Amino acid sequence: MNEKIPKPDENDPNLDTWQRCNDMVIAWILEVLYGDIAKSVIYSSSSYEIWNELDACFGQSNGAKLYQLQKEFSDLSQGTSDLATYYTKLKKFWDELSALSFAPACTYGAMHKIQELKQNKKLIKFLMGINNDYSSTRGNILMMKPLPTVSQAYALLIQDENQREIHSASIFSMDFASMNAKFGNNFSKATNYESKKSIVCTHCKKSGHLVNKCYRLVGFPKEFKFTKGKSVAGNVSSTQTNNDNGYSQVY
């Protein structure tokens, strides 16, 4: 697409080979273009012409791209993202900025120092964007001499995150075990009671049982103790015999 291999003359034996390669590149370009854009360049005679036309219409200068990337990059922080997502986003920005920024080769033996400064700049940006949950580990990293690379700092932060998760799970397990040992069966009963309270019968609208075990439908057991007096119990006894005929039980 840079016209390093110009189209051969009509009598050149390499013309067919060049044409096949040109057609193949054109097919690749048209394959990734949207329908209307592809139609606008489909009749171009060479991939070189298509590429130049697309670049003129949709190409963006490096200055505009650099401005957009730097703006998004400067505003980037971990926020609600996990550490891995934040690190991946940063690395993507660094790779894009590196591709747009051309630096000539150093001829004075200072390349190692330049690379070290770049690494330190990346490290500071990375540490500035992480949440305050990692403040202790961040302080330890900044005290290291020499400063680690970004990937090394990321590995240290991941280790810190894993250790805190294990510690939190251990504390929860110990607290639960101590409560169970202190309160014994009462703790288990309270837990069961709370779970039963969340169950509500769709027939009588009372909590503690489901509709398939509702006494109003299946009948009250003989040992059931009524809380509203004997008159209610008598009414229940008289209506239980009609249960099979579809009458509702009352209590």
Side-chain angles (χ1 to χ4, degrees), residues 57-73:
C57 293
F58 306 104
Q60 190 178 18
S61 66
N62 283 358
K65 288 183 179 179
L66 279 171
Y67 173 82
Q68 181 181 358
L69 284 174
Q70 286 286 8
K71 188 175 185 306
E72 295 177 6
F73 177 69

Side-chain angles (χ1 to χ4, degrees), residues 134-170:
Y134 306 96
S135 57
S136 177
T137 308
R138 175 171 53 199
N140 292 335
I141 292 173
L142 291 172
M143 292 294 291
M144 297 173 67
K145 192 174 180 179
L147 288 173
T149 63
V150 178
S151 57
Q152 290 171 341
Y154 171 70
L156 292 173
L157 289 165
I158 287 292
Q159 289 180 7
D160 174 62
E161 186 178 71
N162 293 336
Q163 288 175 359
R164 284 190 286 112
E165 288 178 356
I166 294 172
H167 183 64
S168 298
S170 176

Side-chain angles (χ1 to χ4, degrees), residues 51-171:
W51 187 262
N52 282 345
E53 186 170 349
L54 292 174
D55 185 58
C57 293
F58 306 104
Q60 190 178 18
S61 66
N62 283 358
K65 288 183 179 179
L66 279 171
Y67 173 82
Q68 181 181 358
L69 284 174
Q70 286 286 8
K71 188 175 185 306
E72 295 177 6
F73 177 69
S74 62
D75 296 336
L76 182 62
S77 61
Q78 183 182 354
T80 57
S81 303
D82 56 57
L83 192 62
T85 302
Y86 168 62
Y87 175 75
T88 302
K89 287 180 180 179
L90 265 182
K91 193 173 185 308
K92 176 177 176 292
F93 276 116
W94 284 328
D95 291 342
E96 291 186 39
L97 289 170
S98 177
L100 292 174
S101 304
F102 173 75
C106 178
T107 57
Y108 297 100
M111 180 58 67
H112 175 73
K113 188 63 178 178
I114 294 174
Q115 291 297 332
E116 183 181 347
L117 292 173
K118 285 183 177 180
Q119 284 293 335
N120 290 347
K121 188 176 180 180
K122 288 181 178 181
L123 175 66
I124 297 303
K125 170 59 182 175
F126 173 62
L127 295 178
M128 286 174 61
I130 61 176
N131 294 336
N132 289 331
D133 297 343
Y134 306 96
S135 57
S136 177
T137 308
R138 175 171 53 199
N140 292 335
I141 292 173
L142 291 172
M143 292 294 291
M144 297 173 67
K145 192 174 180 179
L147 288 173
T149 63
V150 178
S151 57
Q152 290 171 341
Y154 171 70
L156 292 173
L157 289 165
I158 287 292
Q159 289 180 7
D160 174 62
E161 186 178 71
N162 293 336
Q163 288 175 359
R164 284 190 286 112
E165 288 178 356
I166 294 172
H167 183 64
S168 298
S170 176
I171 290 176

Side-chain angles (χ1 to χ4, degrees), residues 33-44 53-54 58:
L33 295 177
Y34 289 108
D36 293 338
I37 299 176
K39 290 177 183 178
S40 68
V41 296
I42 194 171
Y43 296 108
S44 300
E53 186 170 349
L54 292 174
F58 306 104

